[in-house]
Amino acid sequence: MQYELKTQVIEPQRQTFTHIAKRYGDKPASRYIEGSIDVQPKENFQYRPTWDPTREIYDDSYSVFRLTDAYSYLDPRQYYYAPYVTARSGHHEAFATSLEYIEARGLLERLPDGWRSVLDELVLPLRHLESAGQLILCGMARFGWGATVTQAAAYSAFDRVGNAQVLSRVGIALGGGTADLLAEAKEHWLQDAPLQGLRRMAEETIVETDWGLALLRLDAVDRLVYDLLYQHLDDQAVVSGAPAYSLVAQHMASWFADNRRWIDALYTAWREDPELGATNAALLAEHGAAAVDTALEVVTPFAARIDELLGGSSAVDRITTTAAEVRAAHTGAAA
C-alpha cells in the first residue's frame, strides 16, 4: 500500500479581529496592535465618580492635551506584556552582573570621598523621586485616554519601581550588605536643603489632576537629573577614579534612552494631530517651558551641591544648557 503526503492550506475566514480590520484592513496584525487598539472603555458607564461628577469615570477631558483619535499614537517600542517583561528582565540581569563585579572587586570601597558623598547624599535619596514618578505615571495610566497611551504610562510606572530597586541595591552594597545607608538616604530626602526643591516638586506633581501637565513636569526634571547624573557625571567618573559609579550609571542611562522613546512619540502625536495639533503645540510651548523653568529651579541646588562635593562648577552649567535645549524643543514646535 502506498501513501501520498500532501500539504493542504486552510485559508482563515479572517485575518484579525473585526475592529482591527476596520482600521487597518483584513490582514494579519501584530499582537501589540490586537491587544491595544480600541480597548478604551467608551460607553455603558453606570455612574459618574462622586469626586468629580462633571466627568465620566473614563473621560478624555482629564487633560488639556487631547488627540482626535487616541489611537493615532502608538508606542514605537510596541510593548505589550511579553516583550516588556523580557526586555526588563534582560536589563536587570545585566545590572545584577555589573553589581556582582563591583562588589567582587571592591570598587565601591575605592570611591574617592567626593564621589562617595555624591552617592550617599544625592543619588541614593532619589529612590524616593523614582517612587514619586511611579505614582505620577500610575495617575496617567488611570486617567489617560486611549490604551496605547495608558499602557505606555503603566509600563513606565513599573520601570520607576525597578529604578528605585536599582538604587536600593547600590545603597545596600555600599552599606556593606545592610540597609543603614537607605535609612540615611531617607533623612537626606526629608531634611537636606539641596533636595527639598525636588521633593516639593514631586509631591505637588503627585496631586496634579491633569495627567498631561504632570507628565511634562516629571519629564522636565528627569531630563535634567538623568542627563546630569548618568551622562555628565558618568563621563567625569571615567577620568576621576570612580569606575563603580560609571558602571551603575550606564544602566540608568540606557533605561532613560528607552523610556524617552514613548514620551517623544506622544509629544509628536500631540503636535501632529490633524485637528488639535495647533492647540496642543501651543499648550506644549506654554506648559513645557513652565515645567522646564520649574525643573531648573529645583535641580539647581542639587547640582550646586554636586559641584561643591566634587570641587567643580560644571554640574550647574550642564543643567542650564540642558534646560535651554528642552525649552527650545517645546517652544520651537509651536513657532
Side-chain angles (χ1 to χ4, degrees):
M1 180 180 294
Q2 294 182 343
Y3 294 93
E4 183 178 0
L5 300 179
K6 294 183 178 180
T7 300
Q8 182 177 5
V9 178
I10 301 175
E11 294 293 335
Q13 293 186 3
R14 59 183 179 182
Q15 302 291 334
T16 187
F17 298 107
T18 301
H19 67 281
I20 302 296
K22 287 180 179 178
R23 279 181 174 269
Y24 303 111
D26 188 16
K27 57 185 179 181
S30 69
R31 290 186 177 182
Y32 170 76
I33 293 295
E34 290 186 338
S36 307
I37 300 300
D38 287 327
V39 300
Q40 169 69 55
K42 296 180 180 179
E43 57 189 12
N44 300 324
F45 303 141
Q46 296 182 357
Y47 59 89
R48 290 175 179 265
T50 56
W51 36 266
D52 189 356
T54 64
R55 293 186 174 102
E56 296 285 1
I57 193 166
Y58 298 111
D59 201 307
D60 69 350
S61 66
Y62 282 115
S63 177
V64 294
F65 294 100
R66 301 187 191 185
L67 293 170
T68 305
D69 175 11
Y71 298 100
S72 62
Y73 168 76
L74 299 177
D75 184 345
R77 305 167 302 175
Q78 301 280 289
Y79 276 167
Y80 60 95
Y81 183 79
Y84 168 75
V85 170
T86 300
R88 290 301 174 260
S89 175
H91 176 80
H92 284 276
E93 285 177 4
F95 169 73
T97 300
S98 294
L99 188 59
E100 287 175 5
Y101 175 80
I102 290 170
E103 291 182 296
R105 299 300 298 270
L107 296 182
L108 289 172
E109 290 80 1
R110 303 181 195 179
L111 282 171
D113 290 342
W115 286 93
R116 168 78 186 233
S117 297
V118 166
L119 274 173
D120 288 350
E121 293 183 25
L122 300 174
V123 177
L124 294 184
L126 294 188
R127 58 198 288 265
H128 299 285
L129 181 63
E130 296 293 343
S131 294
Q134 179 215 3
L135 292 175
I136 292 164
L137 289 161
C138 281
M140 179 178 175
R142 163 59 185 89
F143 294 104
W145 185 258
T148 51
V149 173
T150 57
Q151 72 177 351
Y155 290 141
S156 189
F158 296 150
D159 285 345
R160 306 311 285 242
V161 178
N163 292 347
Q165 290 174 341
V166 165
L167 295 178
S168 297
R169 292 183 67 178
V170 172
I172 291 171
L174 192 62
T178 72
D180 294 345
L181 288 183
L182 300 185
E184 293 178 13
K186 181 177 180 180
E187 291 305 310
H188 289 310
W189 178 251
L190 294 174
Q191 305 295 337
D192 289 7
L195 290 163
Q196 295 316 293
L198 280 169
R199 184 165 74 93
R200 183 183 70 252
M201 182 286 305
E203 292 172 353
E204 291 176 351
T205 307
I206 287 172
V207 297
E208 169 59 57
T209 57
D210 186 309
W211 59 264
L213 299 184
L215 176 65
L216 279 176
R217 294 173 191 169
L218 177 64
D219 183 42
V221 168
D222 280 346
R223 293 176 81 164
L224 299 191
V225 170
Y226 271 79
D227 177 76
L228 173 61
L229 292 183
Y230 307 122
Q231 291 287 346
H232 178 64
L233 289 191
D234 181 17
D235 293 338
Q236 289 195 356
V238 171
V239 297
S240 300
Y245 184 91
S246 188
L247 287 170
V248 172
Q250 66 173 326
H251 297 285
M252 302 298 281
S254 66
W255 170 81
F256 185 66
D258 180 75
N259 190 66
R260 283 236 51 79
R261 295 178 63 196
W262 76 267
I263 297 176
D264 288 338
L266 181 58
Y267 292 165
T268 299
W270 282 344
R271 294 189 189 101
E272 295 181 355
D273 188 275
E275 296 181 16
L276 302 173
T279 299
N280 288 334
L283 289 168
L284 270 173
E286 176 188 356
H287 296 291
V292 172
D293 291 341
T294 300
L296 182 60
E297 177 185 349
V298 302
V299 177
T300 294
F302 179 86
R305 180 57 178 161
I306 291 176
D307 284 336
E308 182 180 345
L309 291 171
L310 298 183
S313 59
S314 59
V316 172
D317 292 341
R318 179 66 176 235
I319 64 167
T320 302
T321 300
T322 304
E325 294 171 354
V326 178
R327 188 185 297 107
H330 284 313
T331 57

